[in-house]
Amino acid sequence: MSSTERNPRTCLAIVLAAGEGTRMKSARPKVLHEVGGRSMLAHVLASLGAAGADAVAVVVGPGREDVAEAARAASPGAEIYVQTERLGTAHAVLAARSALARGYDDVLVLFADTPLVTPETLRRLRAALADGAALAALGFEPADPTGYGRLLIADGRLVAIREHKDASEAERRVGLCNAGLMALSGRDALSLLDAIGNANVQKEFYLTDAVEAARAASLAAVHVLAGKHEVMGVNDRVQLAAAEAIFQARMREAAMRDGATLIAPETVFFSHDTKLGRDVLVEPNVVFLPGCVVEDGAVIHAFTHLEGATVRAGATAGPYARLRPRADLGPKSKVGNFVEIKAAKIGAGAKISHLSYIGDASVGANANIGAGTITCNYDGFNKARTDIGEGAFVGSNSSLVAPVRIGAGAYVGSGSVITKDVAPDSLALERGTQAEKPGWATRFRAAQARRPKNR
Ligand code: UD1
Ligand code: CA
């Protein structure tokens, strides 16, 4: 059990995901853009789960069934609230008024466009409430504070948060910024939010004004500091790439700390769910899309691209291999250069060393698939399977036209187009008989030498 599950205080988390994100210039809502192969919204929901929220409310824009669906997929118990007009962050929180009215000890407000926040930071915000604060804002010091709200501190106390657009020149020189995330005591949350007006440049109801509301009500407001890499907000694609870079750095470090060797870590790209075992070696320029597991001692050679693939203990893939969804490389099997595997189970010790496509297939243990072998699994309408038995030997440049079975221990002669099942331990050959004309080349050259050249 994590430490937060022992937290006796109840917690409601409200995730704001109603922004249109116009600066993304995208048909897709901002919060569904991905970092490490997972939407920013799903990242936030995952860290909430780990921080021990008892209830999760996600606020979406009108008609945003795609965002609601993504929220339910990532967090099945999530309640969905619709903010009918985009009138600001405080207004968005109040879309979940009925959840707030149920009464919780802690209310956490998160932004779905701030995907890298850790459960530890959420726990620290809640700890500030347990210590008696009515409001805890999350502060950080970005390299460039432009655009962020500034935390205004007087006599060591948080007295206000000023949005960049509303800030004076002097206030804009403040480097301590608002990460956006906030914890509110459940007892005071509704009264603080209802006290917020929209007298500002953007005519919005700012969540940040809860600080001044708390001060007016003589309630304690504090701030908690977070690392600048953890709470950067994503408003455009440049920031999306910056978030991706931070996320990748975290994943690389975690993989190495868990016992994988990355020769050039900065060239290896992970998904949020990539799992590497111990003593896995990953060479430069490897891409892991979602759903990959690499077991102990396996080697992923350079320039290999994996998605939804399992590489079992001691197997090797690449260089330049492409493993597509449901590729399953058995223990100590070998998939070599320019080989594509899709929905295929490769048995222990089997070898597919060069230039092949193996799809919708099974390859038995210790089978050897020669260079250029293709499973012809698609006739333009349907997919069909190819099953290759244990210890079979498929000669180079063979086409296996599915559905077809190659029996255990059978041989297929090079260059064959196999359309019928091959019995175990037999040889199947499908090619024209080789003809030979002795001396033909000599006669040909002599005849050519007598003719005038017409080049
Ligand atoms: C907000 C903060 C700012 C902080 C910055 C950190 C406010 C008023 N400002 O500014 O102090 O430095 O985040 O990244 O809180 N949203 C809604 N409904 C709305 C408005 C926003 O759901 O009506 C959601 C957005 O989807 C987004 C989040 O709230 O997930 C923040 O909104 P955004 O417009 O990006 O705020 P910032 O200007 O970045
Ligand atoms: Ca933002």
Side-chain angles (χ1 to χ4, degrees), residues 15-21 23 30-31 59-61 83 85-93 110-114 140 145 147-150 161-165 177-182 202 204-209 231-235:
V15 179
L16 304 191
E20 279 305 311
R23 281 159 63 191
K30 173 168 75 172
V31 301
V59 179
V60 306
Q83 183 192 20
E85 276 180 288
R86 197 179 186 282
L87 298 180
T89 44
H91 181 261
V93 175
L110 295 98
F111 292 175
D113 72 351
T114 306
F140 73 123
Y148 288 111
R150 307 299 205 284
I161 303 178
R162 191 78 69 236
E163 285 308 288
H164 183 88
K165 286 181 180 152
C177 290
N178 176 31
L181 291 74
M182 195 178 273
Q202 302 188 85
E204 283 189 5
F205 295 87
Y206 290 161
L207 175 63
T208 44
D209 285 347
V231 290
M232 65 162 301
V234 173
N235 293 326

Side-chain angles (χ1 to χ4, degrees), residues 64-431:
R64 284 265 74 119
E65 193 43 44
D66 46 2
V67 178
E69 203 174 290
R72 282 191 220 100
S75 180
E79 303 164 40
I80 307 297
Y81 293 90
V82 177
Q83 183 192 20
T84 45
E85 276 180 288
R86 197 179 186 282
L87 298 180
T89 44
H91 181 261
V93 175
L94 282 169
R97 181 184 290 276
S98 59
L100 282 162
R102 287 200 300 259
Y104 291 86
D105 296 318
D106 299 346
V107 175
L108 275 176
V109 179
L110 295 98
F111 292 175
D113 72 351
T114 306
L116 303 176
V117 66
T118 62
E120 177 53 29
T121 294
L122 302 179
R123 285 194 275 267
R124 287 199 296 130
L125 278 174
R126 291 185 64 190
L129 299 184
D131 289 345
L135 182 158
L138 194 60
F140 73 123
E141 295 189 72
D144 177 9
T146 310
Y148 288 111
R150 307 299 205 284
L151 299 192
L152 306 184
I153 312 278
D155 299 329
R157 290 199 187 158
L158 177 63
V159 293
I161 303 178
R162 191 78 69 236
E163 285 308 288
H164 183 88
K165 286 181 180 152
D166 299 291
S168 66
E169 278 305 310
E171 288 167 341
R172 285 184 182 183
R173 280 195 290 273
V174 172
L176 183 60
C177 290
N178 176 31
L181 291 74
M182 195 178 273
L184 296 163
S185 94
R187 184 163 17 100
D188 306 307
L190 272 174
S191 63
L192 291 177
L193 292 163
D194 281 329
I196 293 170
N198 66 347
N200 52 57
V201 173
Q202 302 188 85
K203 298 279 169 287
E204 283 189 5
F205 295 87
Y206 290 161
L207 175 63
T208 44
D209 285 347
V211 174
E212 279 162 291
R215 204 165 76 137
S218 305
L219 294 167
V222 300
H223 76 281
V224 166
L225 275 178
K228 65 177 175 208
H229 286 160
E230 192 189 330
V231 290
M232 65 162 301
V234 173
N235 293 326
D236 59 31
R237 297 198 201 225
V238 176
Q239 289 172 328
L240 183 69
E244 181 76 42
I246 293 165
F247 179 78
Q248 291 297 337
R250 273 190 199 172
M251 292 296 289
R252 291 163 188 150
E253 180 169 343
M256 292 186 282
R257 296 220 180 275
D258 286 346
T261 294
L262 310 183
I263 295 173
E266 66 286 0
T267 68
V268 177
F269 292 84
F270 290 105
S271 281
H272 65 98
D273 61 351
T274 307
K275 290 191 181 61
L276 302 188
R278 290 208 168 184
D279 293 313
V280 164
L281 171 66
V282 182
E283 290 185 354
N285 297 300
V286 169
V287 176
F288 293 97
L289 294 187
C292 293
V293 176
V294 181
E295 293 181 358
D296 293 355
V299 178
I300 310 298
H301 291 290
F303 296 98
T304 292
H305 187 278
L306 307 92
E307 177 178 13
T310 302
V311 180
R312 300 198 185 269
T316 66
Y320 296 98
R322 177 161 185 217
L323 306 184
R324 292 174 51 204
R326 290 184 292 123
D328 183 334
L329 276 46
K332 299 201 164 130
S333 62
K334 178 186 174 194
V335 164
N337 46 281
F338 305 107
V339 171
E340 174 177 339
I341 308 278
K342 184 212 75 170
K345 200 167 164 53
I346 311 302
K351 289 192 173 72
I352 310 166
S353 297
H354 338 263
L355 301 155
S356 283
Y357 170 67
I358 303 293
D360 301 310
S362 68
V363 174
N366 300 312
N368 192 311
I369 311 296
T373 298
I374 304 292
T375 54
C376 310
N377 60 332
Y378 186 51
D379 60 10
F381 297 93
N382 297 299
K383 299 273 169 72
R385 289 190 57 81
T386 301
D387 290 296
I388 300 170
E390 278 186 30
F393 185 100
V394 177
S396 297
N397 203 31
S398 295
S399 299
L400 309 176
V401 182
V404 72
R405 287 171 176 276
I406 311 296
Y411 271 68
V412 171
S414 301
S416 296
V417 177
I418 298 296
T419 53
K420 292 191 283 258
D421 289 357
V422 178
D425 295 315
S426 55
L427 166 67
L429 260 183
E430 193 281 336
R431 54 167 104 111

